[in-house]
Amino acid sequence: MAQLWGGRFTKETDKLVYNFNASIGFDQKFFHQDVQGSKAHVTMLAKQGILTEEEKNQIIAGLDSIVADVDAGKLEITSEYEDIHSFVEANLIDRIGDAGKKLHTGRSRNDQVALDMKLYVRDEIKELDELVKKLLVTLNKIMEENLHTYMPGFTHLQKAQPITLAHHMGAYFEMFRRDRSRLADIYARMNYCPLGSGALAGTTYPLDRAYSAELMGFAGPTMNSMDSVADRDYVIELLSAMSTIMMHLSRFSEEIIIWNSNEYQFVEIDDAYSTGSSIMPQKKNPDIAELVRGKTGRVYGALMSILTTMKGIPLAYNKDMQEDKELTFDAIDTVKGCLALFEGMVSTMKFRNDVMENSAKHGFTNATDAADYLVNHGVPFRDAHGIVGRLVLYCLDKKISLDEMSLEEYKAISPVFEEDIYEAISIKTCVEKRMTIGAPGPDAMAKVVEWNKKYLEEN
C-alpha cells in the first residue's frame, strides 16, 4: 500500500479501512492537474532557493515522463496507491531517487487536493461554457430562420396568444445565456490559488504564493490558509449552476416531448436521436429528451449531497470533504453529455410550421386581439372581454374558429364588428403588431437575433 504517511504508526492500516479511505479510484481523474500543480510548485521552490535548479529540472523531467507513460498506456494508475498524489510521488521517487522526495516540500495534501480540484473544476467550466455556447448558436440559427413561423404560445398548457417559433426559442436563448453568465461568475470568484496554505496554517518555508498562482493562471493567492483548504463553495456553486442548466434542458425537453406527441405533431425528431419499441413497430420515442429530463434529478442529487456533507463540518480540512469528488465528477460528465446530445437533437429536429400555425388559428389565440378591436372601437374592456367570451362559446358550439365566423354572425353578438375584424384577428397581424423589444413581432425579433450574434461573437 503506497501512502504518504505512516511514520508514527506501529502497524499497517486494516485493508478494509485502507480501501474505505482511499480515493485513487476517482481522484485519478485529475492526474494531469496534480502534475500541473506539482510543476508549478517546484518551479516556485527553485525560484525561492528552496530547491536547486538541478533538482527542479530533475523533478519536472520525471513528472513529464510519468505523464507521457500514463497517456501512452505504458503506466497504469492502480489501487496499489492511496490517491493520485501518492501515485505521482511514488513513481517520481522510483524514477529520479532522492530529488523526488523533495517534491512535497512546503506542501500538504490538503492544499494539494484543494488546488487539484480547483484546477479541474476551472478546466471543466471552460468546457461546459463551450457546450452551452454551441447550443446558443443553434438556437439563434433556428430563431433567424423562423421569424415568420407562427405558433400558439401557452399558459397553463392552454393555448393563449399567437407567437413565433423564433420568439419561443428566444426564451430558451435567454435562459442559457444566463447559464453562461453564472459559469463566468463562478470562474472569476474561484480563480484564486490555495497552494502554499499547507495543512491549515501555512508553512515556515519562504514560499512565493503569488508566483505559484501566476504560473497556473490564477488571479492571485487565497487570503486565508484555513479557508483555502476548507472551501468547497465553488463546487457548490458549480453544482447549483449545473442544476439550473439541467432544469432549463429539462423544461425544453418536456416541451419537445409534448410537441413530438401524436396529438401535437409540432416537431419530428431525427431518427438518429429517437428509438423504437421492442413490441410496437409504429413507435418512434423521444428517448434522448426523456433521458435528459430524467438525469436532471441526478445532478440535483449531487448538489443536495454536497450541501448536506458541508453543513456540519468545522474548520479546517475534514475527510468528509473527500465526498465532493465523485458526485462532482459524475454531475459534470452528466451535464456535458446532456448538452452535447440535446444540441444534436435540436439541430436536426424538423419543425412542422403548417401544423403549428394551424394550431394557433384554431386555439382562439387571437381572442385577446378581438377584444382589443372592440376597445379600439369604443367598447369598455370589461364589456369587450364578455363579448369575445360569447364569441368563443359560439365557435365552440359550431366547431369553427374566430376567423371562420361570418360578419353577420359577428354582428349578431355585437353590432360594433365590421369587415376589418378579419384583418385585426389574423395570426399575422396579431404577431406583427407586437413590436416592442422582447415581443414576437418579426422586426423586433430580427433585432434580437442580431444582438445575439454580436453577443456570441464577443463572448
Side-chain angles (χ1 to χ4, degrees):
M1 298 185 289
Q3 47 199 32
L4 302 177
W5 51 273
R8 61 96 65 216
F9 288 81
T10 59
K11 59 192 289 189
E12 286 230 342
T13 307
D14 182 272
K15 183 64 175 175
L16 287 175
V17 172
Y18 178 84
N19 291 336
F20 189 68
N21 188 60
S23 58
I24 189 70
F26 48 86
D27 68 14
Q28 62 181 278
K29 203 169 182 81
F30 48 53
F31 163 65
H32 288 93
Q33 286 80 12
D34 192 74
V35 172
Q36 179 187 357
S38 289
K39 289 169 71 172
H41 183 61
V42 297
T43 300
M44 179 276 297
L45 291 177
K47 172 183 173 292
Q48 297 300 100
I50 300 167
L51 294 182
T52 66
E53 281 295 312
E54 183 182 353
E55 289 170 330
K56 178 198 79 172
N57 292 336
Q58 273 186 283
I59 292 172
I60 289 177
L63 291 171
D64 286 341
S65 71
I66 293 170
V67 171
D69 286 350
V70 169
D71 289 349
K74 297 177 181 177
L75 177 61
E76 185 180 358
I77 302 173
T78 69
S79 59
E80 171 190 355
Y81 304 92
E82 181 182 12
D83 52 35
I84 195 61
H85 323 300
S86 56
F87 166 81
V88 171
E89 189 168 336
N91 276 276
L92 182 67
I93 293 169
D94 284 346
R95 292 180 184 220
I96 68 170
D98 285 347
K101 296 177 181 178
K102 298 185 178 183
L103 172 65
H104 211 55
T105 306
R107 184 172 70 169
S108 163
R109 272 196 305 181
N110 292 358
D111 61 343
Q112 186 177 4
V113 73
L115 172 66
D116 289 1
M117 193 63 177
K118 273 200 171 183
L119 288 172
Y120 181 85
V121 167
R122 200 175 64 171
D123 290 344
E124 292 299 320
I125 286 175
K126 291 178 183 177
E127 291 192 24
L128 284 163
D129 180 71
E130 283 302 311
L131 286 166
V132 177
K133 182 176 181 178
K134 186 177 181 183
L135 178 56
L136 286 172
V137 170
T138 294
L139 291 178
N140 203 49
K141 183 174 183 290
I142 295 171
M143 290 168 66
E144 186 172 25
E145 294 171 351
N146 290 279
L147 296 173
H148 299 277
T149 300
Y150 305 120
M151 67 176 292
F154 296 84
T155 62
H156 310 280
L157 267 182
Q158 303 291 307
K159 294 174 186 176
Q161 291 180 299
I163 58 171
T164 62
L165 181 58
H167 192 236
H168 198 108
M169 293 295 109
Y172 285 107
F173 189 99
E174 294 304 313
M175 294 182 202
F176 292 114
R177 188 212 304 262
R178 292 194 295 271
D179 288 327
R180 285 193 78 202
S181 71
R182 274 183 278 270
L183 292 173
D185 287 346
I186 296 165
Y187 189 100
R189 195 160 33 250
M190 68 169 285
N191 197 31
Y192 291 85
C193 182
L195 190 61
S197 298
L200 80 159
T203 176
T204 57
Y205 292 97
L207 307 183
D208 186 341
R209 295 191 61 219
Y211 180 65
S212 298
E214 181 185 344
L215 287 175
M216 290 177 283
F218 286 101
T222 51
M223 289 291 103
N224 184 283
S225 58
M226 291 184 75
D227 178 64
S228 299
V229 298
D231 169 38
R232 292 299 184 272
D233 286 4
Y234 62 96
V235 173
I236 294 169
E237 288 188 59
L238 177 60
L239 287 168
S240 177
M242 291 194 300
S243 293
T244 305
I245 290 172
M246 289 301 296
M247 179 265 290
H248 291 153
L249 288 175
S250 185
R251 293 183 72 180
F252 205 163
S253 292
E254 174 72 6
E255 293 203 311
I256 289 171
I257 292 163
I258 293 170
W259 292 355
N260 183 70
S261 66
N262 295 333
E263 285 69 27
Y264 276 75
Q265 298 183 35
F266 283 8
V267 299
E268 182 180 351
I269 299 175
D270 191 83
D271 285 356
Y273 292 90
S274 304
T275 62
S277 165
S278 63
I279 189 172
M280 296 168 284
Q282 82 281 11
K283 297 293 293 296
K284 183 177 179 182
N285 300 324
D287 279 12
I288 296 304
E290 290 173 354
L291 280 169
V292 169
R293 186 178 60 183
K295 287 180 183 294
T296 300
R298 183 171 179 155
V299 179
Y300 288 3
L303 173 60
M304 291 303 104
S305 180
I306 189 63
L307 283 169
T308 305
T309 296
M310 294 300 295
K311 76 175 183 64
I313 298 179
L315 289 174
Y317 180 81
N318 294 268
K319 195 69 171 184
D320 315 46
M321 293 164 65
Q322 182 170 289
E323 287 297 298
D324 68 341
K325 292 167 193 62
E326 284 181 281
L327 56 89
T328 302
F329 297 158
D330 180 76
I332 289 171
D333 290 344
T334 298
V335 177
K336 284 165 64 176
C338 287
L339 281 167
L341 283 167
F342 191 88
E343 189 280 329
M345 178 180 66
V346 172
S347 65
T348 57
M349 199 161 58
K350 292 180 181 176
F351 294 94
R352 301 283 301 279
N353 299 4
D354 55 335
V355 176
M356 288 190 289
E357 182 170 347
N358 193 51
S359 178
K361 286 180 178 178
H362 289 82
F364 302 108
T365 60
N366 49 2
T368 302
D369 295 85
D372 289 342
Y373 171 91
L374 291 171
V375 170
N376 290 331
H377 286 74
V379 179
F381 177 78
R382 190 51 57 201
D383 292 340
H385 190 281
I387 291 168
V388 175
R390 293 200 298 276
L391 289 177
V392 170
L393 277 175
Y394 179 83
C395 289
L396 288 170
D397 182 60
K398 297 292 184 180
K399 294 182 173 56
I400 59 175
S401 68
L402 290 174
D403 309 68
E404 293 169 326
M405 286 181 64
S406 68
L407 186 57
E408 289 73 21
E409 289 172 309
Y410 270 109
K411 283 184 170 294
I413 294 176
S414 174
V416 175
F417 289 111
E418 298 293 346
E419 189 70 35
D420 59 350
I421 181 60
Y422 297 105
E423 174 64 21
I425 64 169
S426 76
I427 297 299
K428 184 175 184 292
T429 301
C430 292
V431 172
E432 291 188 355
K433 69 183 180 183
R434 287 174 163 81
M435 293 307 299
T436 55
I437 288 301
D443 290 347
M445 285 306 304
K447 291 177 183 176
V448 171
V449 166
E450 291 307 310
W451 289 335
N452 290 348
K453 285 182 181 177
K454 185 177 180 182
Y455 157 75
L456 291 167
E457 288 170 1
E458 295 176 353
N459 297 277

